[in-house]
DNA sequence: AATTGTTTTATTGTCGACAGTTTTAGCTTG
DNA sequence: CAAGCTAAAACTGTCGACAATAAAACAATT
C-alpha cells in the first residue's frame, strides 16, 4: 500500500526513474553514446521493462536519448558541431524570450533578478575561480528570463528540452569559459534593458551575449 | 512471418499507429480536448495497450497530447493565446533558420525554391480562391527554408514538433488569411535575400513575414 | 587464415493480466 | 431533495511472458 501524497501530483515509478536517469545522463554517469540495455536497466532500478520504457521514451523527448527501431536507445553523443547548433537555437529563442520578458516581467521579478546577480557578483569577487557557482548563476539568470517571458511554449522548449542538453555540455565539455567578467557585465546591461521595458534592445543584448559564447567555442575549436 | 523490408527502417506497429493518430488529431478527426481511452483506442487499432502507449508517448513529444499521471492523455486544446505563442516562437526560430539558409543553401536548392514559388504563383492566378493549394505552398516554402538552414536541431524543433501543431491550427481554425498576395511578394523578397547570401536581411524579412501573420490574428481577435 | 553462411543467443516489440487510483453509481442521512 | 459517504466500475500504472528481430558465436568452404 503506497500512501500517495495527494497534494503534489503523485510521482509514479516511471517518473522517479526518468528523473534519476536524466541526472545520471546529464552528469556523465551514464556515458555518451552508450547503448542502454533494457533488461539490465530494469534490473538495476528493480522495475519492469514497461515502466523503464516509459521513462526512456520521455528521455528521448528531452533529446538526451536516441532510439532506433528494433535496436534500442543510445545516449546522444556530444560534438562541437552540435554545441554550435544549440547556441544558434538559444540565440534566437532566448533573444525572443528576453524581448518578451521586457514586456511581461513584474517589477518584483526584475528586482529579484538584480539581487541574484549582485549575490553572484560578490561570490565571484570573494572566492575567485569558483567556476561552479558562476556556472549555476548563469543558468539561473537565463532560466529566470525565459520564465519571465510568460510564453509557455518558449518555456517548454527551453527549460524542458534544451537546458538539460546545455547542462550536459557544461558538465562534460567543462566550459569554464574565460568570459566570467564580461558575462557579468552583459547580464547587467540586459537587466537594465528589461527594467527600461526596452524589448528591442533586450533582445539584441541577449543575442549578442549568447553569440559571444558561441564565437568563443568556435575560436577554441579552430585553435585545436 | 513478416517479411520486413530490409531497406527502409522497418515500421513497427507503434509507428503506424503514431502516424495515423497524428494525422487524425491534426485534421480534427479526434476532437481537441477529448480524453483518449487506452482500452478503447487499442481495441480500435487492434493492438495491445503497451503498443498504443508507445505511440501516445511520442504524440506527447510532438505537443499534440498532454498527459497527467493516473488520469491519462488528452488532445491539446487550441486557443488564440496559444496560437500567438506559436507565432512568437516561429518568428525567432524561422528567422534564424532563414539567416542560416542564406549561408548554407545550395544554388540548386535556391533555384528549386524559386521554381516552386512560380508554380504556386501561377496556380493562384489561374484558379482564384484555391486556399488549399496556397496553404500547402506556404507550408512547403517555410519547410524548405528550415531544411536549408542545415541546423539539425532547428529542423527537429520546427519540422518534427512545431509544424504539426501549426497544421492543426490551420485545419481547425481555418486560417484562410487575406494575406495571399502580400505573402507571395514577401516570399519573393526572402528568396532574393537568400540568393544574395544576405543572411541578416533574410532573417529580418522572415521575421516580418511571420510577425505580420501574427498581427493579423491579433487584429482579428480584437474585432471579435 | 579469412570470409561466408548458419545456428545460437540476446534484445526489442508486443501481448494479456493484475494492482492501485480515479471516477461513477448508488445508498444513506440530515 | 441535497449532501456526503460507500461501493462498484473503469481506467491507468506495472508486471512477466512470448514473438520477431538483431547481434554474436560457430562452422564450413575456399
Amino acid at each position: 500500500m503506497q500512501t500517495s501524497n495527494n497534494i503534489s501530483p503523485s510521482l509514479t515509478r516511471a517518473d522517479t526513474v526518468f528523473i534519476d536517469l536524466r541526472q545520471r545522463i546529464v552528469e556523465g554517469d551514464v556515458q555518451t553514446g552508450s547503448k542502454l540495455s533494457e533488461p539490465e536497466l530494469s534490473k538495476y532500478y528493480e522495475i519492469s521493462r514497461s515502466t523503464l520504457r516509459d521513462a526512456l521514451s520521455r528521455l528521448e523527448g528531452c533529446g538526451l536519448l536516441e532510439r532506433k527501431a528494433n535496436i534500442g536507445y543510445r545516449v546522444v553523443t556530444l560534438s562541437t558541431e552540435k554545441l554550435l547548433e544549440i547556441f544558434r537555437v538559444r540565440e534566437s529563442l532566448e533573444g525572443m524570450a528576453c524581448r518578451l520578458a521586457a514586456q511581461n516581467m513584474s517589477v518584483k521579478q526584475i528586482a529579484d533578478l538584480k539581487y541574484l546577480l549582485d549575490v553572484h557578483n560578490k561570490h565571484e569577487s570573494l572566492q575567485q575561480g569558483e567556476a561552479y557557482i558562476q556556472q549555476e548563476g548563469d543558468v539561473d539568470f537565463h532560466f529566470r528570463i525565459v520564465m519571465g517571458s510568460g510564453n509557455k511554449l518558449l518555456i517548454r522548449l527551453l527549460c524542458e528540452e534544451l537546458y538539460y542538453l546545455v547542462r550536459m555540455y557544461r558538465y562534460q565539455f567543462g566550459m569554464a569559459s574565460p568570459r566570467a567578467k564580461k558575462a557579468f557585465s552583459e547580464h547587467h546591461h540586459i537587466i537594465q534593458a528589461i527594467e527600461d521595458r526596452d524589448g528591442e534592445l533586450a533582445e539584441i543584448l541577449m543575442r549578442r551575449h549568447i553569440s559571444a559564447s558561441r564565437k568563443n567555442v568556435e575560436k577554441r575549436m579552430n585553435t585545436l
Side-chain angles (χ1 to χ4, degrees), chain A:
Chain A
M1 186 178 68
Q2 181 179 328
T3 64
S4 74
N5 184 345
N6 283 342
I7 300 172
S8 68
S10 54
L11 271 193
T12 171
R13 252 169 267 247
D15 284 325
T16 59
V17 171
F18 165 66
I19 293 171
D20 185 76
L21 246 180
R22 183 175 63 189
Q23 180 168 352
R24 286 175 62 196
I25 292 171
V26 165
E27 298 184 359
D29 193 7
V30 181
Q31 201 161 13
T32 58
S34 64
K35 183 171 178 321
L36 300 186
S37 161
E38 295 180 7
E40 192 179 321
L41 263 182
S42 58
K43 211 180 292 177
Y44 174 85
Y45 281 111
E46 294 178 323
I47 57 176
S48 73
R49 272 184 59 220
S50 314
T51 306
L52 176 71
R53 281 161 71 86
D54 191 348
L56 295 184
S57 73
R58 274 186 263 176
L59 287 168
E60 186 189 11
C62 294
L64 298 180
L65 297 183
E66 287 171 348
R67 182 187 187 184
K68 280 184 187 170
N70 292 314
I71 291 182
Y73 291 93
R74 299 193 89 88
V75 180
V76 294
T77 58
L78 307 185
S79 70
T80 314
E81 289 73 26
K82 287 180 188 172
L83 179 57
L84 295 179
E85 287 194 349
I86 292 174
F87 271 119
R88 292 285 190 183
V89 170
R90 284 187 61 198
E91 181 180 335
S92 64
L93 283 182
E94 292 194 34
M96 176 60 78
C98 204
R99 171 186 288 263
L100 297 176
Q103 291 176 21
N104 300 329
M105 273 180 90
S106 71
V107 175
K108 183 175 186 313
Q109 277 179 305
I110 297 174
D112 286 352
L113 189 49
K114 284 178 83 169
Y115 176 74
L116 177 82
L117 208 57
D118 279 342
V119 170
H120 281 139
N121 206 344
K122 280 173 191 160
H123 261 283
E124 207 259 346
S125 311
L126 291 176
Q127 22 195 123
Q128 198 74 7
E130 272 284 3
Y132 171 76
I133 290 187
Q134 178 223 323
Q135 299 267 351
E136 291 303 310
D138 185 68
V139 169
D140 204 7
F141 177 80
H142 287 264
F143 182 82
R144 290 198 185 205
I145 286 181
V146 173
M147 297 301 284
S149 75
N151 185 314
K152 285 173 191 166
L153 176 59
L154 209 45
I155 292 171
R156 180 168 75 84
L157 289 177
L158 282 169
C159 299
E160 285 172 32
E161 300 203 11
L162 224 52
Y163 278 178
Y164 289 100
L165 257 183
V166 170
R167 289 183 53 213
M168 191 170 168
Y169 273 93
R170 290 232 168 121
Y171 263 98
Q172 306 197 27
F173 266 39
M175 305 263 108
S177 79
R179 298 204 338 106
K181 283 260 169 59
K182 270 187 197 163
F184 266 113
S185 144
E186 288 166 5
H187 284 187
H188 269 297
H189 286 304
I190 289 171
I191 290 191
Q192 191 59 54
I194 290 176
E195 198 166 25
D196 296 339
R197 303 299 184 184
D198 187 343
E200 195 179 330
L201 180 62
E203 173 166 17
I204 291 172
L205 292 178
M206 177 61 88
R207 289 188 63 152
R208 275 200 202 164
H209 174 60
I210 295 174
S211 180
S213 294
R214 188 196 74 234
K215 285 168 184 163
N216 204 43
V217 171
E218 283 174 342
K219 198 171 68 182
R220 196 186 306 184
M221 184 177 70
N222 289 333
T223 57
L224 290 183

